[in-house]
Amino acid sequence: MPATTARTVLFHDIGGPEVLTIEDVPLPEPGPGQVAVRVEALGLNRAEALFRAGTYYYQPALPASRLGYEASGVVEAIGEGVTELAVGDPVLTGPGIEMSAQGVYAERVVLPETAVLRRPASVDAVTGAAAWLTYTTAYGALLETAGLKPGDHVLITGASSGVGTAAIQVARRIGAIPLATTRTEAKRQHLLDLGAAEVIVSGEASDGTQTVAKETRRLTAGRGVQVVFDAIGGPAFRHLGDAIAQGGTLVVYGWLDPRPAEIPRTWPFTIHTYANLSLTTTPGGRRRSTAFLDAGLTDGGFRPVIAEVFEGLDAIRDAHRLMESNTHTGKIVVRL
């Protein structure tokens, strides 16, 4: 490998974007089963802001924790036993990464082969960095976990997020009918343009989810939706039960509101919690989710929504500040 160090984002204390530093970190040659990747773009995720702040489901190993799940780039070297990838292949990262030790916010990274996927040749680096986590999460939660079917209605909360915008496209791809929620009127038209059948503006008030449930019933002629896909949780979670059809499914994949959530009492329905790594780190789940993603990217059916592209690793703090502002729609990308 030509480089022996790599500029890498680290943090030594939990906190806001200001704790992120950029340091030269030794870069080993790839060992057995490992791949060295030159990073071309990074895709930011809410999980990384939570991890940096110490509020994710596992804690960073401090000091000198790394950060980041998603990158796209090119294979620079491979270790012994690597057979699925070759030097020069365009790739994505994501499955099974433990961020403290393997975080991909860096100019170069060495990862297990199982954390690296070949990127379709037609997909550029910025698009690739915005695709893996959002579409595989939507696929795994909606299709494999909730069993969403053609003709079903699905209510997508927090629909302007990266996963939310992907979920709209995944639902449309299989012939389901996506209803999207957003807190402000400003994002309505963008969500309609992405394929939402209807957009429900919840507003900032504490009773916003009650408004969402009432509007959902109205838009479905009183029946409710077959699936709710929720990113928020918190006390308002209990009102989502009023939006579900009898025997429907509620899938929770995020906790943007960290307060305790009460289980809705509009039984019968099924609640699932969804963690993407539980699917994508299994051989079968990785194969199915990757095939679904590649098909959508290759034929143009999946168009990742890019909120903003920042230039250079030194922009990482500003990119995190935008992510925490909640004013964007889609994914934030840092191009290296």
Side-chain angles (χ1 to χ4, degrees):
M1 291 176 60
T4 57
T5 63
R7 295 184 76 230
T8 302
V9 174
L10 301 177
F11 61 104
H12 302 284
D13 299 286
I14 61 173
E18 70 279 357
V19 302
L20 301 177
T21 65
I22 300 172
E23 304 176 29
D24 288 327
V25 171
L27 187 71
E29 293 190 7
Q34 292 184 324
V35 177
V37 177
R38 175 174 55 82
V39 176
E40 297 178 312
L42 302 170
L44 273 59
N45 296 285
R46 180 70 58 178
E48 291 140 27
L50 296 173
F51 190 65
R52 184 207 69 224
T55 56
Y56 200 41
Y57 76 91
Y58 66 94
Q59 290 294 303
L62 300 173
S65 176
R66 299 174 69 113
L67 190 61
Y69 279 126
E70 282 187 285
S72 61
V74 176
V75 174
E76 284 196 322
I78 60 174
E80 181 183 353
V82 173
T83 58
E84 299 298 317
L85 296 167
V87 173
D89 282 347
V91 291
L92 308 173
T93 72
I97 285 174
E98 193 287 312
M99 285 194 283
S100 284
Q102 301 169 324
V104 298
Y105 284 12
E107 292 181 343
R108 286 176 166 83
V109 292
V110 174
L111 294 169
E113 181 184 17
T114 53
V116 182
L117 305 169
R118 186 176 286 104
R119 186 173 90 229
S122 60
V123 176
D124 64 88
V126 168
T127 301
W132 178 78
L133 188 63
T134 55
Y135 288 100
T136 59
T137 298
Y139 163 80
L142 294 179
L143 275 61
E144 296 225 357
T145 301
L148 186 69
K149 297 178 177 59
D152 284 353
H153 286 82
V154 54
L155 179 67
I156 301 165
T157 70
S160 62
S161 68
V163 174
T165 56
I168 292 171
Q169 296 176 34
V170 168
R172 281 296 190 190
R173 188 172 183 87
I174 70 157
I177 304 161
L179 309 180
T181 79
T182 181
R183 289 184 299 172
T184 65
E185 187 70 34
K187 296 179 180 180
R188 177 194 292 274
Q189 190 57 51
H190 195 176
L191 294 171
L192 290 170
D193 293 343
L194 285 173
E198 301 283 353
V199 175
I200 303 169
V201 178
S202 64
E204 304 286 350
S206 59
D207 63 350
T209 309
Q210 291 174 279
T211 300
V212 168
K214 182 178 178 180
E215 277 296 287
T216 300
R217 287 283 177 181
R218 184 184 69 81
L219 292 169
T220 57
R223 293 184 298 273
V225 296
Q226 284 72 42
V227 176
V228 173
F229 186 44
D230 182 48
I232 300 169
F237 181 75
R238 65 188 177 94
H239 297 300
L240 290 175
D242 295 327
I244 304 175
Q246 189 174 57
T249 301
L250 198 164
V251 182
V252 189
Y253 75 97
W255 58 92
L256 294 178
D257 187 336
R259 294 175 294 173
E262 181 181 326
I263 295 175
R265 297 176 183 175
T266 49
W267 300 352
F269 68 92
T270 300
I271 295 179
H272 289 280
T273 56
Y274 179 78
N276 199 44
L277 293 182
S278 67
L279 173 74
T280 57
T281 55
T282 66
R286 174 188 165 109
R287 174 180 55 80
R288 295 189 301 275
S289 60
T290 300
F292 190 78
L293 171 64
D294 286 355
L297 290 175
T298 300
D299 67 20
F302 293 161
R303 296 165 286 109
V305 177
I306 310 296
E308 187 166 341
V309 178
F310 288 81
E311 298 295 339
L313 203 58
D314 292 303
I316 195 68
R317 297 180 198 89
D318 288 338
H320 266 242
R321 290 185 185 103
L322 175 59
M323 181 162 56
E324 294 197 332
S325 75
N326 295 320
T327 58
H328 61 289
T329 298
K331 285 291 285 279
I332 298 167
V333 175
V334 177
R335 180 163 47 202
L336 275 59

